[in-house]
Amino acid sequence: SRIGGEMHIRPGGTYAGGTIGSLNVAGTLLLDPATKSQTRVKDTLSLEPDSTLAFKVGKDEAHSTLKVENRAVLNNATLNIEVTAENDQLLGRQLRVVDAQQVDGQFGTVTSNLKAYTPELIYTPTGAFVAFKPKEAVAA
């Protein structure tokens, strides 16, 4: 799908992929490899502070990267990471969540369904990545 102009996702709404001119998200932006629909923003992506970027990691670490040809504004939004198959192959991997010409800000909150690993975010001027490290065992 392709939308040439600007689109707004309101609170409670979800956008699950396609090419769009500009995107302002107050609801949920879903990145799911199962949908086979890449999200590509031709100009600017703006995540509102109460919005969520839902980043799903499928079997064999399959994932979709959010591609923004200009600027991605993260605005302390929530990043929700859902991993289908939690395994040691995640260790040492950095999965690109956002690929942009310019990344402004960071995610404010990170949530996940991980039991044995902790997600760790890495930011560069043009991207946001998630790495995984083992959770430390709690002494009994």
Side-chain angles (χ1 to χ4, degrees):
S1 65
R2 176 183 285 272
I3 299 172
E6 187 172 329
M7 184 171 171
H8 296 269
I9 307 303
R10 297 181 187 270
T14 299
Y15 183 71
T19 299
I20 192 158
S22 290
L23 184 60
N24 185 308
V25 180
T28 300
L29 177 55
L30 176 63
L31 299 179
D32 185 351
T35 66
K36 300 202 185 322
S37 178
Q38 289 279 344
T39 298
R40 178 179 219 88
V41 180
K42 299 297 246 173
D43 190 18
T44 300
L45 165 76
S46 182
L47 297 175
E48 296 298 320
D50 291 333
S51 68
T52 299
L53 177 60
F55 182 70
K56 295 192 175 197
V57 180
K59 193 174 182 181
D60 298 323
E61 294 80 52
H63 65 285
S64 296
T65 299
L66 175 59
K67 298 199 181 282
V68 181
E69 292 183 17
N70 190 9
R71 192 168 74 129
V73 182
L74 304 182
N75 271 335
N76 293 316
T78 296
L79 175 62
N80 179 30
I81 301 166
E82 185 179 313
V83 177
T84 300
E86 192 171 340
N87 57 51
D88 288 344
Q89 291 177 334
L90 289 172
L91 293 174
R93 299 268 330 256
Q94 289 183 3
L95 304 180
R96 185 184 285 266
V97 179
V98 179
D99 179 10
Q101 185 72 29
Q102 175 185 345
V103 174
D104 291 340
Q106 296 185 350
F107 291 102
T109 303
V110 179
T111 61
S112 77
N113 68 335
L114 295 167
K115 301 208 181 338
Y117 301 99
T118 300
E120 199 170 72
L121 296 182
I122 301 158
Y123 297 95
T124 68
T126 61
F129 301 80
V130 64
F132 303 91
K133 65 179 188 175
K135 287 185 178 178
E136 294 187 25
V138 177

